[in-house]
Amino acid sequence: FSVGYSAVALNHVIDFKEKKQEIIKPVSPSELFPSLPIVQGTSKRIKVLTRLTLVVSDPSHCNLLRSTSANIRLYDIIAVFPKTEKLFHIACTTLDVDLVCINVTEKLPFYFRRPPVNMAIDRGIYFELLYTPAIKDSTMRRYTISNAISLMQICKGKNIVISSAAERPLELRGPYDVANLGLLFGLSESEAKAAVSTNCRATMLHGETRKSACGVVYTVKKPRKVEEEETTLPACKKAKTQA
Amino acid sequence: MVRFKNRYVLCEVVSEDPRCRQCIEDRAVGLAVREAIGRVHGDYGLACCSISFTVKYLNAYTGAVLLRCRKDSYRLLCSALPFVRQLESRNQRYPCALNTLHVGGTIRTCQKFLIQYNRRQLLMLLQNCTNEEERRCIQKSLLSCSLTEEQSQSGDEEDDDGME
């Protein structure tokens, strides 16, 4: 059945509690779907992206991100799931990721503080909330709503992405419904709609710039024939030296 | 002038089980929605939303449902619709999901939207159908759907066994 999305990301979770885990190459979408269905209303096919989620509970796990493992670069979007306050701080300020997942299934062990959240907003990192546990279970629904509202109070509703961790097709909800769920989480109506549409698109672009280069530069010829260089995206990071 | 303002919410029942289509009836859907509102918003939400809550229109073949509620409480209703998980009727439970299509102030706007939506669905069916006979049927019904004077539900809808 069709629900009305134009781009989808497939997630691959890596948990560091087990011993050595190799980052495997992402499954190419063309292997999974022989022919992608067409988006309703336009004639383009649905875009399928790949996404990697790292569950970090230890600062040493973050070294993996800085390593030059070739497989990481193949993923379109990288998300990190911090378990402690220190890791949340590190993820917001220095790590090279696109999304920071906020745990919704249990009471958060740490409170959000304003400085790292503001730095993440400046860097262009988005916070992600999941909504499928809310549909399945009643206690998880309470944790979801309380965690989401506490996040809203700190970040004022900016840079939020709502996504589903659906395991079955019936757990998916259409974009209008997800925006209504955003209202429950404390967002205003326009912020909720943005959380589904514009913020997701910005995350995709963020992932693309991270994949392609450390910053995007374009030159503009001014009438005085002096070439000026400007960076296009405000979230561009300083050129990083490889660790 | 004092008038009661209503909001009409148009949704689509989505399920994987083909038998679920036969048990879509207005009482079952109304009960499922009420139960979801009660779970999410509690007694206050349930009481607010059921002031003028009815299922106005139901189409078992396509799964289109039109609900009515007061304008003051339509936000509670809309935010509880994603939490509908199953339909119950005649002691059978079927897992399903509700997909919101359109919210309007009158039945007429929702009807116009539904006709356009069904036309688009028919076009998609047309692209996927293989049989020449079916193709002619669909083309004929596409050309004949329109809003007639008597407010009857116009717009031929194909029996959606082929469509999920």
PDB file of all heavy atoms in Angstrom, chain A residues 63-94:
ATOM      1  N   ASN A  63      35.995   6.376  18.246  1.00  0.00           N
ATOM      2  CA  ASN A  63      37.169   6.408  17.375  1.00  0.00           C
ATOM      3  C   ASN A  63      36.860   5.809  16.033  1.00  0.00           C
ATOM      4  O   ASN A  63      37.488   6.137  15.038  1.00  0.00           O
ATOM      5  CB  ASN A  63      38.321   5.634  18.011  1.00  0.00           C
ATOM      6  CG  ASN A  63      38.799   6.333  19.245  1.00  0.00           C
ATOM      7  OD1 ASN A  63      38.629   7.532  19.355  1.00  0.00           O
ATOM      8  ND2 ASN A  63      39.366   5.591  20.161  1.00  0.00           N
ATOM      9  N   LEU A  64      35.867   4.952  16.037  1.00  0.00           N
ATOM     10  CA  LEU A  64      35.521   4.297  14.791  1.00  0.00           C
ATOM     11  C   LEU A  64      35.084   5.311  13.753  1.00  0.00           C
ATOM     12  O   LEU A  64      35.333   5.171  12.566  1.00  0.00           O
ATOM     13  CB  LEU A  64      34.380   3.309  15.069  1.00  0.00           C
ATOM     14  CG  LEU A  64      34.156   2.295  13.993  1.00  0.00           C
ATOM     15  CD1 LEU A  64      35.383   1.448  13.851  1.00  0.00           C
ATOM     16  CD2 LEU A  64      32.980   1.443  14.374  1.00  0.00           C
ATOM     17  N   LEU A  65      34.414   6.372  14.249  1.00  0.00           N
ATOM     18  CA  LEU A  65      33.926   7.374  13.313  1.00  0.00           C
ATOM     19  C   LEU A  65      35.067   8.123  12.667  1.00  0.00           C
ATOM     20  O   LEU A  65      34.983   8.556  11.532  1.00  0.00           O
ATOM     21  CB  LEU A  65      33.027   8.371  14.044  1.00  0.00           C
ATOM     22  CG  LEU A  65      31.588   7.950  14.137  1.00  0.00           C
ATOM     23  CD1 LEU A  65      30.838   8.932  14.965  1.00  0.00           C
ATOM     24  CD2 LEU A  65      30.986   7.887  12.756  1.00  0.00           C
ATOM     25  N   ARG A  66      36.134   8.306  13.428  1.00  0.00           N
ATOM     26  CA  ARG A  66      37.221   9.107  12.866  1.00  0.00           C
ATOM     27  C   ARG A  66      38.147   8.263  12.027  1.00  0.00           C
ATOM     28  O   ARG A  66      38.984   8.781  11.326  1.00  0.00           O
ATOM     29  CB  ARG A  66      38.012   9.766  13.995  1.00  0.00           C
ATOM     30  CG  ARG A  66      37.221  10.911  14.552  1.00  0.00           C
ATOM     31  CD  ARG A  66      37.992  11.697  15.565  1.00  0.00           C
ATOM     32  NE  ARG A  66      37.160  11.901  16.725  1.00  0.00           N
ATOM     33  CZ  ARG A  66      37.548  11.678  17.960  1.00  0.00           C
ATOM     34  NH1 ARG A  66      38.755  11.278  18.203  1.00  0.00           N
ATOM     35  NH2 ARG A  66      36.727  11.872  18.952  1.00  0.00           N
ATOM     36  N   SER A  67      38.004   6.961  12.127  1.00  0.00           N
ATOM     37  CA  SER A  67      38.908   6.125  11.331  1.00  0.00           C
ATOM     38  C   SER A  67      38.515   6.219   9.869  1.00  0.00           C
ATOM     39  O   SER A  67      37.403   6.575   9.523  1.00  0.00           O
ATOM     40  CB  SER A  67      38.809   4.675  11.788  1.00  0.00           C
ATOM     41  OG  SER A  67      37.591   4.148  11.332  1.00  0.00           O
ATOM     42  N   THR A  68      39.424   5.886   9.048  1.00  0.00           N
ATOM     43  CA  THR A  68      39.161   6.051   7.629  1.00  0.00           C
ATOM     44  C   THR A  68      38.630   4.763   7.034  1.00  0.00           C
ATOM     45  O   THR A  68      39.000   4.372   5.941  1.00  0.00           O
ATOM     46  CB  THR A  68      40.438   6.453   6.889  1.00  0.00           C
ATOM     47  OG1 THR A  68      41.452   5.503   7.263  1.00  0.00           O
ATOM     48  CG2 THR A  68      40.863   7.830   7.289  1.00  0.00           C
ATOM     49  N   SER A  69      37.788   4.106   7.783  1.00  0.00           N
ATOM     50  CA  SER A  69      37.203   2.891   7.254  1.00  0.00           C
ATOM     51  C   SER A  69      36.381   3.233   6.028  1.00  0.00           C
ATOM     52  O   SER A  69      35.516   4.096   6.059  1.00  0.00           O
ATOM     53  CB  SER A  69      36.318   2.250   8.318  1.00  0.00           C
ATOM     54  OG  SER A  69      35.353   1.449   7.727  1.00  0.00           O
ATOM     55  N   ALA A  70      36.639   2.538   4.966  1.00  0.00           N
ATOM     56  CA  ALA A  70      35.991   2.934   3.707  1.00  0.00           C
ATOM     57  C   ALA A  70      34.502   2.682   3.760  1.00  0.00           C
ATOM     58  O   ALA A  70      33.724   3.361   3.105  1.00  0.00           O
ATOM     59  CB  ALA A  70      36.608   2.164   2.560  1.00  0.00           C
ATOM     60  N   ASN A  71      34.093   1.699   4.570  1.00  0.00           N
ATOM     61  CA  ASN A  71      32.689   1.335   4.532  1.00  0.00           C
ATOM     62  C   ASN A  71      31.796   2.400   5.113  1.00  0.00           C
ATOM     63  O   ASN A  71      30.650   2.530   4.741  1.00  0.00           O
ATOM     64  CB  ASN A  71      32.464   0.027   5.293  1.00  0.00           C
ATOM     65  CG  ASN A  71      32.982  -1.135   4.501  1.00  0.00           C
ATOM     66  OD1 ASN A  71      33.010  -1.068   3.295  1.00  0.00           O
ATOM     67  ND2 ASN A  71      33.388  -2.172   5.187  1.00  0.00           N
ATOM     68  N   ILE A  72      32.345   3.181   6.029  1.00  0.00           N
ATOM     69  CA  ILE A  72      31.488   4.207   6.628  1.00  0.00           C
ATOM     70  C   ILE A  72      31.085   5.224   5.584  1.00  0.00           C
ATOM     71  O   ILE A  72      29.981   5.741   5.584  1.00  0.00           O
ATOM     72  CB  ILE A  72      32.227   4.899   7.790  1.00  0.00           C
ATOM     73  CG1 ILE A  72      32.093   4.049   9.038  1.00  0.00           C
ATOM     74  CG2 ILE A  72      31.659   6.258   8.037  1.00  0.00           C
ATOM     75  CD1 ILE A  72      32.147   4.815  10.295  1.00  0.00           C
ATOM     76  N   ARG A  73      31.984   5.469   4.663  1.00  0.00           N
ATOM     77  CA  ARG A  73      31.690   6.526   3.705  1.00  0.00           C
ATOM     78  C   ARG A  73      30.592   6.109   2.737  1.00  0.00           C
ATOM     79  O   ARG A  73      30.071   6.927   2.014  1.00  0.00           O
ATOM     80  CB  ARG A  73      32.945   6.855   2.896  1.00  0.00           C
ATOM     81  CG  ARG A  73      34.086   7.183   3.762  1.00  0.00           C
ATOM     82  CD  ARG A  73      34.846   8.390   3.264  1.00  0.00           C
ATOM     83  NE  ARG A  73      35.705   8.845   4.319  1.00  0.00           N
ATOM     84  CZ  ARG A  73      35.547   9.987   4.937  1.00  0.00           C
ATOM     85  NH1 ARG A  73      34.598  10.794   4.579  1.00  0.00           N
ATOM     86  NH2 ARG A  73      36.350  10.326   5.900  1.00  0.00           N
ATOM     87  N   LEU A  74      30.296   4.803   2.719  1.00  0.00           N
ATOM     88  CA  LEU A  74      29.291   4.376   1.766  1.00  0.00           C
ATOM     89  C   LEU A  74      27.886   4.657   2.245  1.00  0.00           C
ATOM     90  O   LEU A  74      26.936   4.614   1.478  1.00  0.00           O
ATOM     91  CB  LEU A  74      29.443   2.874   1.503  1.00  0.00           C
ATOM     92  CG  LEU A  74      30.734   2.525   0.802  1.00  0.00           C
ATOM     93  CD1 LEU A  74      30.885   1.028   0.778  1.00  0.00           C
ATOM     94  CD2 LEU A  74      30.728   3.075  -0.593  1.00  0.00           C
ATOM     95  N   TYR A  75      27.727   4.889   3.532  1.00  0.00           N
ATOM     96  CA  TYR A  75      26.397   5.160   4.039  1.00  0.00           C
ATOM     97  C   TYR A  75      26.043   6.628   3.805  1.00  0.00           C
ATOM     98  O   TYR A  75      26.874   7.494   3.919  1.00  0.00           O
ATOM     99  CB  TYR A  75      26.338   4.876   5.547  1.00  0.00           C
ATOM    100  CG  TYR A  75      26.333   3.426   5.875  1.00  0.00           C
ATOM    101  CD1 TYR A  75      27.493   2.762   6.185  1.00  0.00           C
ATOM    102  CD2 TYR A  75      25.146   2.702   5.871  1.00  0.00           C
ATOM    103  CE1 TYR A  75      27.479   1.429   6.495  1.00  0.00           C
ATOM    104  CE2 TYR A  75      25.133   1.373   6.179  1.00  0.00           C
ATOM    105  CZ  TYR A  75      26.300   0.742   6.489  1.00  0.00           C
ATOM    106  OH  TYR A  75      26.289  -0.582   6.795  1.00  0.00           O
ATOM    107  N   ASP A  76      24.776   6.843   3.503  1.00  0.00           N
ATOM    108  CA  ASP A  76      24.356   8.215   3.210  1.00  0.00           C
ATOM    109  C   ASP A  76      24.203   9.043   4.469  1.00  0.00           C
ATOM    110  O   ASP A  76      24.555  10.207   4.512  1.00  0.00           O
ATOM    111  CB  ASP A  76      23.023   8.210   2.463  1.00  0.00           C
ATOM    112  CG  ASP A  76      23.148   7.554   1.116  1.00  0.00           C
ATOM    113  OD1 ASP A  76      24.085   7.895   0.399  1.00  0.00           O
ATOM    114  OD2 ASP A  76      22.308   6.707   0.805  1.00  0.00           O
ATOM    115  N   ILE A  77      23.614   8.447   5.488  1.00  0.00           N
ATOM    116  CA  ILE A  77      23.343   9.213   6.714  1.00  0.00           C
ATOM    117  C   ILE A  77      23.939   8.448   7.882  1.00  0.00           C
ATOM    118  O   ILE A  77      23.816   7.237   7.958  1.00  0.00           O
ATOM    119  CB  ILE A  77      21.823   9.352   6.931  1.00  0.00           C
ATOM    120  CG1 ILE A  77      21.184  10.022   5.741  1.00  0.00           C
ATOM    121  CG2 ILE A  77      21.527  10.144   8.173  1.00  0.00           C
ATOM    122  CD1 ILE A  77      19.704  10.196   5.911  1.00  0.00           C
ATOM    123  N   ILE A  78      24.564   9.154   8.790  1.00  0.00           N
ATOM    124  CA  ILE A  78      25.129   8.491   9.972  1.00  0.00           C
ATOM    125  C   ILE A  78      24.466   9.061  11.206  1.00  0.00           C
ATOM    126  O   ILE A  78      24.357  10.286  11.364  1.00  0.00           O
ATOM    127  CB  ILE A  78      26.647   8.701  10.041  1.00  0.00           C
ATOM    128  CG1 ILE A  78      27.302   8.040   8.854  1.00  0.00           C
ATOM    129  CG2 ILE A  78      27.192   8.117  11.311  1.00  0.00           C
ATOM    130  CD1 ILE A  78      28.775   7.954   8.961  1.00  0.00           C
ATOM    131  N   ALA A  79      24.030   8.175  12.079  1.00  0.00           N
ATOM    132  CA  ALA A  79      23.375   8.618  13.304  1.00  0.00           C
ATOM    133  C   ALA A  79      24.082   7.975  14.491  1.00  0.00           C
ATOM    134  O   ALA A  79      24.625   6.893  14.376  1.00  0.00           O
ATOM    135  CB  ALA A  79      21.910   8.187  13.301  1.00  0.00           C
ATOM    136  N   VAL A  80      24.044   8.679  15.605  1.00  0.00           N
ATOM    137  CA  VAL A  80      24.694   8.148  16.787  1.00  0.00           C
ATOM    138  C   VAL A  80      23.688   8.148  17.923  1.00  0.00           C
ATOM    139  O   VAL A  80      22.804   8.993  17.989  1.00  0.00           O
ATOM    140  CB  VAL A  80      25.940   8.980  17.138  1.00  0.00           C
ATOM    141  CG1 VAL A  80      25.555  10.266  17.813  1.00  0.00           C
ATOM    142  CG2 VAL A  80      26.887   8.203  17.992  1.00  0.00           C
ATOM    143  N   PHE A  81      23.801   7.197  18.799  1.00  0.00           N
ATOM    144  CA  PHE A  81      22.822   7.003  19.848  1.00  0.00           C
ATOM    145  C   PHE A  81      23.591   7.055  21.171  1.00  0.00           C
ATOM    146  O   PHE A  81      24.070   6.027  21.625  1.00  0.00           O
ATOM    147  CB  PHE A  81      22.191   5.629  19.626  1.00  0.00           C
ATOM    148  CG  PHE A  81      21.026   5.338  20.503  1.00  0.00           C
ATOM    149  CD1 PHE A  81      20.120   4.374  20.124  1.00  0.00           C
ATOM    150  CD2 PHE A  81      20.832   5.974  21.713  1.00  0.00           C
ATOM    151  CE1 PHE A  81      19.038   4.073  20.909  1.00  0.00           C
ATOM    152  CE2 PHE A  81      19.773   5.680  22.505  1.00  0.00           C
ATOM    153  CZ  PHE A  81      18.859   4.720  22.104  1.00  0.00           C
ATOM    154  N   PRO A  82      23.741   8.204  21.781  1.00  0.00           N
ATOM    155  CA  PRO A  82      24.571   8.280  22.978  1.00  0.00           C
ATOM    156  C   PRO A  82      23.829   7.771  24.214  1.00  0.00           C
ATOM    157  O   PRO A  82      22.622   7.957  24.342  1.00  0.00           O
ATOM    158  CB  PRO A  82      24.857   9.787  23.114  1.00  0.00           C
ATOM    159  CG  PRO A  82      23.708  10.432  22.482  1.00  0.00           C
ATOM    160  CD  PRO A  82      23.218   9.522  21.398  1.00  0.00           C
ATOM    161  N   LYS A  83      24.574   7.134  25.080  1.00  0.00           N
ATOM    162  CA  LYS A  83      23.932   6.565  26.246  1.00  0.00           C
ATOM    163  C   LYS A  83      24.257   7.323  27.516  1.00  0.00           C
ATOM    164  O   LYS A  83      23.666   7.088  28.547  1.00  0.00           O
ATOM    165  CB  LYS A  83      24.402   5.112  26.436  1.00  0.00           C
ATOM    166  CG  LYS A  83      23.905   4.203  25.375  1.00  0.00           C
ATOM    167  CD  LYS A  83      22.667   3.542  25.843  1.00  0.00           C
ATOM    168  CE  LYS A  83      22.356   2.370  24.966  1.00  0.00           C
ATOM    169  NZ  LYS A  83      20.992   1.961  25.081  1.00  0.00           N
ATOM    170  N   THR A  84      25.281   8.145  27.504  1.00  0.00           N
ATOM    171  CA  THR A  84      25.625   8.894  28.715  1.00  0.00           C
ATOM    172  C   THR A  84      25.699  10.373  28.375  1.00  0.00           C
ATOM    173  O   THR A  84      25.753  10.766  27.224  1.00  0.00           O
ATOM    174  CB  THR A  84      26.971   8.451  29.283  1.00  0.00           C
ATOM    175  OG1 THR A  84      27.968   8.777  28.312  1.00  0.00           O
ATOM    176  CG2 THR A  84      26.980   6.983  29.568  1.00  0.00           C
ATOM    177  N   GLU A  85      25.766  11.171  29.419  1.00  0.00           N
ATOM    178  CA  GLU A  85      25.748  12.611  29.208  1.00  0.00           C
ATOM    179  C   GLU A  85      26.997  13.088  28.501  1.00  0.00           C
ATOM    180  O   GLU A  85      26.962  13.953  27.632  1.00  0.00           O
ATOM    181  CB  GLU A  85      25.629  13.284  30.566  1.00  0.00           C
ATOM    182  CG  GLU A  85      26.038  14.717  30.562  1.00  0.00           C
ATOM    183  CD  GLU A  85      25.019  15.574  31.235  1.00  0.00           C
ATOM    184  OE1 GLU A  85      24.548  15.166  32.305  1.00  0.00           O
ATOM    185  OE2 GLU A  85      24.681  16.622  30.676  1.00  0.00           O
ATOM    186  N   LYS A  86      28.130  12.488  28.869  1.00  0.00           N
ATOM    187  CA  LYS A  86      29.395  12.892  28.241  1.00  0.00           C
ATOM    188  C   LYS A  86      29.359  12.620  26.754  1.00  0.00           C
ATOM    189  O   LYS A  86      29.795  13.423  25.939  1.00  0.00           O
ATOM    190  CB  LYS A  86      30.534  12.075  28.854  1.00  0.00           C
ATOM    191  CG  LYS A  86      31.354  12.821  29.817  1.00  0.00           C
ATOM    192  CD  LYS A  86      32.653  12.086  30.074  1.00  0.00           C
ATOM    193  CE  LYS A  86      33.568  13.017  30.832  1.00  0.00           C
ATOM    194  NZ  LYS A  86      34.810  12.409  31.180  1.00  0.00           N
ATOM    195  N   LEU A  87      28.820  11.440  26.421  1.00  0.00           N
ATOM    196  CA  LEU A  87      28.774  11.083  25.010  1.00  0.00           C
ATOM    197  C   LEU A  87      27.824  11.980  24.268  1.00  0.00           C
ATOM    198  O   LEU A  87      28.051  12.303  23.103  1.00  0.00           O
ATOM    199  CB  LEU A  87      28.346   9.632  24.867  1.00  0.00           C
ATOM    200  CG  LEU A  87      29.498   8.721  25.156  1.00  0.00           C
ATOM    201  CD1 LEU A  87      29.008   7.326  25.339  1.00  0.00           C
ATOM    202  CD2 LEU A  87      30.454   8.790  24.011  1.00  0.00           C
ATOM    203  N   PHE A  88      26.748  12.391  24.929  1.00  0.00           N
ATOM    204  CA  PHE A  88      25.812  13.312  24.284  1.00  0.00           C
ATOM    205  C   PHE A  88      26.525  14.616  23.975  1.00  0.00           C
ATOM    206  O   PHE A  88      26.388  15.183  22.894  1.00  0.00           O
ATOM    207  CB  PHE A  88      24.619  13.530  25.211  1.00  0.00           C
ATOM    208  CG  PHE A  88      23.594  14.455  24.665  1.00  0.00           C
ATOM    209  CD1 PHE A  88      22.794  14.073  23.609  1.00  0.00           C
ATOM    210  CD2 PHE A  88      23.421  15.715  25.195  1.00  0.00           C
ATOM    211  CE1 PHE A  88      21.839  14.921  23.099  1.00  0.00           C
ATOM    212  CE2 PHE A  88      22.462  16.562  24.688  1.00  0.00           C
ATOM    213  CZ  PHE A  88      21.674  16.173  23.645  1.00  0.00           C
ATOM    214  N   HIS A  89      27.315  15.061  24.946  1.00  0.00           N
ATOM    215  CA  HIS A  89      28.061  16.305  24.749  1.00  0.00           C
ATOM    216  C   HIS A  89      29.044  16.169  23.595  1.00  0.00           C
ATOM    217  O   HIS A  89      29.152  17.025  22.720  1.00  0.00           O
ATOM    218  CB  HIS A  89      28.805  16.636  26.049  1.00  0.00           C
ATOM    219  CG  HIS A  89      29.455  17.968  26.029  1.00  0.00           C
ATOM    220  ND1 HIS A  89      28.855  19.099  26.533  1.00  0.00           N
ATOM    221  CD2 HIS A  89      30.641  18.377  25.538  1.00  0.00           C
ATOM    222  CE1 HIS A  89      29.644  20.140  26.377  1.00  0.00           C
ATOM    223  NE2 HIS A  89      30.743  19.732  25.784  1.00  0.00           N
ATOM    224  N   ILE A  90      29.773  15.053  23.578  1.00  0.00           N
ATOM    225  CA  ILE A  90      30.759  14.830  22.516  1.00  0.00           C
ATOM    226  C   ILE A  90      30.062  14.753  21.168  1.00  0.00           C
ATOM    227  O   ILE A  90      30.521  15.315  20.170  1.00  0.00           O
ATOM    228  CB  ILE A  90      31.539  13.531  22.788  1.00  0.00           C
ATOM    229  CG1 ILE A  90      32.356  13.683  24.047  1.00  0.00           C
ATOM    230  CG2 ILE A  90      32.438  13.209  21.624  1.00  0.00           C
ATOM    231  CD1 ILE A  90      33.080  12.422  24.416  1.00  0.00           C
ATOM    232  N   ALA A  91      28.919  14.053  21.149  1.00  0.00           N
ATOM    233  CA  ALA A  91      28.227  13.875  19.869  1.00  0.00           C
ATOM    234  C   ALA A  91      27.744  15.211  19.333  1.00  0.00           C
ATOM    235  O   ALA A  91      27.803  15.472  18.134  1.00  0.00           O
ATOM    236  CB  ALA A  91      27.054  12.917  20.038  1.00  0.00           C
ATOM    237  N   CYS A  92      27.271  16.072  20.225  1.00  0.00           N
ATOM    238  CA  CYS A  92      26.743  17.340  19.751  1.00  0.00           C
ATOM    239  C   CYS A  92      27.844  18.284  19.317  1.00  0.00           C
ATOM    240  O   CYS A  92      27.620  19.128  18.450  1.00  0.00           O
ATOM    241  CB  CYS A  92      25.941  18.033  20.852  1.00  0.00           C
ATOM    242  SG  CYS A  92      24.438  17.203  21.221  1.00  0.00           S
ATOM    243  N   THR A  93      29.007  18.180  19.916  1.00  0.00           N
ATOM    244  CA  THR A  93      29.986  19.219  19.656  1.00  0.00           C
ATOM    245  C   THR A  93      31.045  18.807  18.642  1.00  0.00           C
ATOM    246  O   THR A  93      31.411  19.597  17.791  1.00  0.00           O
ATOM    247  CB  THR A  93      30.694  19.612  20.955  1.00  0.00           C
ATOM    248  OG1 THR A  93      31.104  18.407  21.602  1.00  0.00           O
ATOM    249  CG2 THR A  93      29.760  20.355  21.857  1.00  0.00           C
ATOM    250  N   THR A  94      31.532  17.569  18.743  1.00  0.00           N
ATOM    251  CA  THR A  94      32.664  17.283  17.880  1.00  0.00           C
ATOM    252  C   THR A  94      32.462  16.140  16.889  1.00  0.00           C
ATOM    253  O   THR A  94      33.193  16.048  15.918  1.00  0.00           O
ATOM    254  CB  THR A  94      33.897  16.901  18.717  1.00  0.00           C
ATOM    255  OG1 THR A  94      33.482  15.928  19.662  1.00  0.00           O
ATOM    256  CG2 THR A  94      34.451  18.107  19.418  1.00  0.00           C
TER     257      THR A  94
END
